[in-house]
């Protein structure tokens, strides 16, 4: 057993729901106890979907156990088919139904429904949401792709690609698809099929008609892409175009594969914003990055190469991509953090004392507690990160969005300068809070993040007072460094001199 | 699936249908119970789905060092029972070491733990002996046994055997109420001269009330069937009353208590009159907006019957269908008698067919869960999401206006929007 308060991922059947809800003409019959319908509200509330997810739950209760849960499943499948007339159905069990050992695959096959029925095996006690989504998408492709469909001859037509991976409840998937489609169009490449998002079973049947695949989200589409490579000979573009450099690499990779000129791809704003003098203060900002592996790895590259930050922590919660995150962490000279325990992430953030955290909804709350600026780069996210406005992460517009949304929570350069100059002014005092939180925002109720003074050291009042003049977001680090410096030298009482000696010692 | 109207002794037939039920499981009760029981921790023994449900329902609350969590069953726990009990002990020790402030620990059963027949009652009594100073109890919040608010019923019923014996005369108010409402009620009972008044649940473990032959109890919530049965087993007697929603419901609830404690009727009415008048004034705006409007309740919390009664008798709304996950006839007898005869009662759910009835009736307001609200709005129906009724202070005289406003606001919004 594992003690958990917060979980980065839902169970695998929620991943399957994300595929079913993303597609059109698919219905999911889920053998599940009463109560599992809670997952509907992820889609209707967080993504604000206008439609209920196309999922029928058997919602069995205790009194059904041992006698007619199998019949209940068949009845639900029959009713769902009659009511929704889907082009294809997927069937499977949630965690509890997995234990009662009805066999949705066999039960559904016995019904002999007049549409393809795709059985899912999603081991709920060892796998999680992303794996469930990837497996479901793979099973759908494997069952429905028509092996006889191949691309027509290239003469006299534009190359065409499939975009694989976007789902329901995906972080910025809606706008990433639009942005990547624009980028491809500028190069003279057509999108044959976006899947699973918006695709029907009939569309999936034609997946072989594209010249190659573009894997936007490896967490969801990797298994299917590998199968398509083997079965259909479709090559896969694996560069994920998040950030200026990655987008340029993506364009180069696509252009080479499709045999087109990369030049007409849209020009980019990002380099200028990053070079403008107001961005100088971004240099060397210490940033901690955590999320799904794909977004975390992309964010680390953007942070270091495009914004000039120092990456001081890099990790992911999805173990399936441990190898990738390890390689990326190595390139930043870091040990990777691979965990799904948010308390471990919190400890790592406290340890690293970053000036900016890039993460998920959970890191947003951790950072709020520690009073560190934060921006969201990865699922899981809450409702505000399914925005009404256009906000891709991918492509050149995505690079603009990343710049704005990461820099915004930091105190802007001029503001920071003023803060330092006038830090004893009442308007800039700690009690007034950061200016972007409103002039007189109350200090959060969260505990002061400064580590408690170590017993072995003692702060002289004037040193303590000087420490308080240091802006709150770096004060914790200054205190720690000073105490470490004092401890190493056996200094019992920290004076003003000790403080500045330590500062000089730690200056890099 | 099958549907059959049943004759009820009290009034109209009840429509019972079986099919997909779009309801929360009893685990959700933890979200408000842990706010009330200030030194309790709720440890769900379940799957990742259970943890995911709790965090989806708890929203941002999850970060204020919440006093609930999930011991997620893993593959190796499914291998053998003895192992699972040992694992549970390990998790509990880890938890209690980290949270020294915890005085009550609830092991909460889930669908997976019940299907594998993990004996949480046995685990609770073993751990209760081992961890002196911490009361360890168990109850089921599983979807297969409980829906939504029934989780609170199961939790309170588990507390009843722990209540000390007390044969003295006392009033016991049963059901979780927001602190502000509890405080208002405390003042009103004092003004009526009713004493002593005790509360179940209590805010802290040490304040758990006694129970015995002199205990008369008032239900503050309609979903407490098991708790009521357990209290009666210990000699307590229920005071029959309307539930304290609206000016009339609240008056009836306090008057019933006054009668049971021999308070002079005229004096009691005199004490309640200004509160009743103030509540009625607060309801005027709501009545103007809601009078004559039709309303359809999908089953959610068992609050549907008393709320429909309040909306019909005090605000002039017309209930079309009043769906409830479970109909406790005895506790609701007086509420049911006040419902307009035209209201169709339904117990249980086949959600697709119930939605067909909603679409056919096109009510002015549909009360439903968050999984259905936006899709129904997209079909042009105005909705009120039901879970808010469980989290907001809605009981008593001074919340009557707020309660009406919860139903009026979606209709007003529809009027003001020009997009």
């Amino acid at each position: 057993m594992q003690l958990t308060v917060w979980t980065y991922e839902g169970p695998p059947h929620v991943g399957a729901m994300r595929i079913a809800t993303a597609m059109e003409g698919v219905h999911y019959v889920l053998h599940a106890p009463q109560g599992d319908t809670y997952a509907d509200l992820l889609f209707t509330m967080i993504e604000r979907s206008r439609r209920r997810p196309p999922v029928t739950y058997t919602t069995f209760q205790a009194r059904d156990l041992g006698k007619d849960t199998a019949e209940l499943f068949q009845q639900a499948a029959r009713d769902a088919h009659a009511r929704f007339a889907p082009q294809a159905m997927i069937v499977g069990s949630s965690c509890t139904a997995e234990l009662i050992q009805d066999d949705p695959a066999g039960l559904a096959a016995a019904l002999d429904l007049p549409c393809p029925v795709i059985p899912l095996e999603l081991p709920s006690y060892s796998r999680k949401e992303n794996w469930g989504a990837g497996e479901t998408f793979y099973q759908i492709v494997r069952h429905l792709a028509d092996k006889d469909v191949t691309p027509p001859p290239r003469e006299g037509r534009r190359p065409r690609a499939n975009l694989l991976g976007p789902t329901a409840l995906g972080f910025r998937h809606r706008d990433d698809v639009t942005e990547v489609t624009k980028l491809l169009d500028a190069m003279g490449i057509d999108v044959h099929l976006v899947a699973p998002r918006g695709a029907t079973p009939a569309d999936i049947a034609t997946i072989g008609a594209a010249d190659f695949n573009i894997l936007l989200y490896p967490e969801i589409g990797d298994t299917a892409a590998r199968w398509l490579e083997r079965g259909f000979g479709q090559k896969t573009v694996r560069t994920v175009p998040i950030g200026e450099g990655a987008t340029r690499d993506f364009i180069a990779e696509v252009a080479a594969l499709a045999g087109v000129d990369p030049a007409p791809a849209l020009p980019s704003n990002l380099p200028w914003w990053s070079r403008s003098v107001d961005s100088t203060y971004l240099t060397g900002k210490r940033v901690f990055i955590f999320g799904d592996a794909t977004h975390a790895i992309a964010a680390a590259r953007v942070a270091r190469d495009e914004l000039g930050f120092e990456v001081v922590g890099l990790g992911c919660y999805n173990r399936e991509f441990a190898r990738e995150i390890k390689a990326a962490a190595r390139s930043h000279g870091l040990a990777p953090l691979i965990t799904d325990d948010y308390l471990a992430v919190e400890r790592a953030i406290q340890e690293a004392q970053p000036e900016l955290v890039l993460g998920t909804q959970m890191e947003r709350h951790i950072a709020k507690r520690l009073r560190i600026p934060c921006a969201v780069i990865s699922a899981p996210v809450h409702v505000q990160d399914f925005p009404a406005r256009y906000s891709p992460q991918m492509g050149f517009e995505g690079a603009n969005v990343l710049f704005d949304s990461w820099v915004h929570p930091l105190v802007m350069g001029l503001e920071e300068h003023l803060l330092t100059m006038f830090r004893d002014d009442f308007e800039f005092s700690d009690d007034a809070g950061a200016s972007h939180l409103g002039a007189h925002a109350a200090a959060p109720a969260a505990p002061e993040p400064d580590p408690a003074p170590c017993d072995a050291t003692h702060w002289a009042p004037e040193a303590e007072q000087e420490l308080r003049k240091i802006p709150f977001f770096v004060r914790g680090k200054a205190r720690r460094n000073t105490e470490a410096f004092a401890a190493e030298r056996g200094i019992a009482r920290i004076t003003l001199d000790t403080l500045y000696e330590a500062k000089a010692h730690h200056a890099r | 699936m099958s549907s059959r109207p049943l004759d009820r002794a009290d009034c109209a037939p009840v429509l019972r249908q079986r099919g997909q039920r779009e309801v929360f499981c009893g685990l959700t009760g933890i979200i408000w119970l842990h706010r009330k029981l200030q030194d309790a921790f709720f440890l769900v023994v379940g799957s990742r789905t259970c943890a995911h449900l709790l965090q989806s329902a708890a929203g941002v609350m999850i970060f204020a060092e919440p006093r609930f969590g999930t011991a997620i069953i893993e593959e190796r726990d499914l291998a053998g029972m003895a192992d699972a009990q040992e694992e549970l002990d390990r998790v509990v020790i880890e938890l209690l070491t980290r949270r020294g402030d915890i005085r009550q620990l609830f092991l909460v059963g889930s669908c997976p733990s019940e299907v594998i027949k993990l004996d949480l009652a046995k685990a609770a009594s073993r751990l209760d002996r081992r961890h002196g100073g911490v009361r360890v109890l168990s109850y089921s919040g599983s979807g297969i046994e409980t829906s939504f608010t029934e989780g609170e019923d199961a939790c309170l019923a588990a507390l009843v055997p722990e209540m000390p014996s007390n044969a003295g005369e006392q009033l016991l108010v049963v059901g979780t109420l927001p602190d502000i409402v509890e405080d208002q009620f405390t003042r009103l009972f004092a003004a009526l001269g009713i004493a002593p008044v005790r509360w179940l649940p209590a805010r802290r473990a040490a304040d758990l009330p006694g129970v015995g032959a002199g205990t008369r109890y008032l239900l503050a919530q309609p979903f407490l069937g098991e708790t009521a049965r357990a209290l009666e087993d210990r000699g307590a007697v229920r005071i029959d009353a309307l539930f304290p929603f609206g000016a009339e419901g609240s008056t009836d609830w306090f008057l019933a208590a006054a009668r049971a404690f021999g308070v002079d009727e005229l004096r009691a009415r005199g004490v309640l009159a200004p509160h009743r008048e103030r509540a009625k004034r607060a309801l005027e705006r709501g009545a103007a907006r809601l009078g004559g409007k039709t309303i359809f309740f999908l089953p959610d919390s068992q609050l549907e019957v008393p709320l429909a009664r309040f909306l019909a008798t005090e605000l002039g709304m017309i209930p079309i269908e009043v769906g409830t996950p479970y109909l406790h006839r005895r506790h609701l007898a007086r509420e049911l008698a006040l419902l307009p005869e035209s209201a169709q009662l339904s117990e249980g759910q086949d959600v697709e067919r119930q939605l067909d009835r909603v679409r056919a009736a096109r009510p002015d307001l549909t009360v439903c869960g968050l999984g259905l609200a936006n899709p129904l709005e997209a079909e042009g129906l105005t909705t009120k999401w039901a879970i808010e009724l469980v989290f907001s202070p809605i009981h008593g005289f001074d919340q009557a206006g707020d309660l009406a406003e919860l139903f009026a606001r979606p209709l007003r919004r529809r009027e003001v929007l020009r997009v």
Side-chain angles (χ1 to χ4, degrees), chain B residues 366-395:
Chain B
T366 303
V367 183
C368 62
L370 291 173
L372 299 172
N374 267 336
L376 287 176
E377 292 279 349
E379 292 184 30
L381 292 155
T382 307
T383 61
K384 165 76 220 114
W385 38 286
I387 192 169
E388 198 179 7
L389 298 163
V390 178
F391 290 132
S392 311
I394 59 169
H395 294 71

Side-chain angles (χ1 to χ4, degrees), chain A residues 1 4 7 34 40 44 83, chain B residues 21-22 55 70 87 370:
Chain A
M1 280 178 201
T4 313
T7 134
Q34 166 176 278
D40 282 359
T44 60
R83 181 174 280 269
Chain B
R21 295 161 69 104
E22 185 89 11
Q55 85 181 35
T70 309
E87 279 289 289
L370 291 173

Side-chain angles (χ1 to χ4, degrees), chain A residues 246-417:
Chain A
T247 300
R248 292 195 178 280
D249 292 351
F250 171 82
I251 289 170
E253 188 180 348
V254 169
L257 192 53
V260 298
D261 177 11
L266 306 170
S268 156
N269 283 329
L270 187 270
W272 169 244
W273 293 104
S274 204
R275 285 176 199 282
S276 91
V277 291
D278 192 61
S279 297
T280 310
Y281 79 103
L282 298 175
T283 314
K285 285 263 185 215
R286 297 161 55 80
V287 57
F288 185 97
I289 300 172
F290 195 83
D292 68 35
T294 299
H295 284 89
I297 292 168
R301 176 174 175 185
V302 173
R304 182 185 61 189
D305 298 346
E306 299 171 24
L307 296 179
F309 292 154
E310 184 194 351
V311 179
V312 296
L314 178 60
C316 74
Y317 55 78
N318 50 339
R319 247 164 240 287
E320 291 87 348
F321 288 79
R323 210 174 37 157
E324 285 82 351
I325 205 94
K326 275 179 195 156
R330 242 194 329 273
S331 88
H332 289 269
L334 295 167
L337 175 67
I338 300 161
T339 180
D340 58 0
D341 178 359
Y342 85 98
L343 292 172
V345 179
E346 186 173 72
R347 279 192 297 274
I349 291 176
Q350 247 160 336
E351 189 66 26
Q353 291 280 342
E355 292 159 87
L356 176 68
V357 173
L358 300 176
T360 73
Q361 181 72 6
M362 275 75 103
E363 284 67 46
R364 210 168 66 85
H365 285 271
I366 292 170
K368 193 155 88 185
R369 208 169 79 76
L370 302 175
R371 303 185 68 185
I372 303 170
C374 177
V376 169
I377 56 155
S378 160
V381 294
H382 207 53
V383 62
Q384 68 269 37
D385 276 302
F386 285 91
R389 67 176 186 279
Y390 185 60
S391 359
Q393 302 285 289
M394 293 184 177
F396 293 128
E397 185 56 27
N400 291 337
V401 169
L402 294 185
F403 180 86
D404 285 346
S405 47
W406 296 6
V407 168
H408 178 83
L410 295 168
V411 184
M412 296 299 289
L414 185 60
E415 276 182 40
E416 181 167 307
H417 180 64

Side-chain angles (χ1 to χ4, degrees), chain A residues 400-458:
Chain A
N400 291 337
V401 169
L402 294 185
F403 180 86
D404 285 346
S405 47
W406 296 6
V407 168
H408 178 83
L410 295 168
V411 184
M412 296 299 289
L414 185 60
E415 276 182 40
E416 181 167 307
H417 180 64
L418 290 174
L419 262 176
T420 316
M421 251 171 80
F422 302 120
R423 65 186 160 210
D424 291 326
D425 272 24
F426 72 97
E427 279 183 293
F428 291 99
S429 78
D430 290 344
D431 296 339
S435 60
H436 63 283
L437 297 176
H440 297 285
E448 176 72 10
D450 296 3
C454 174
D455 288 339
T457 58
H458 184 69

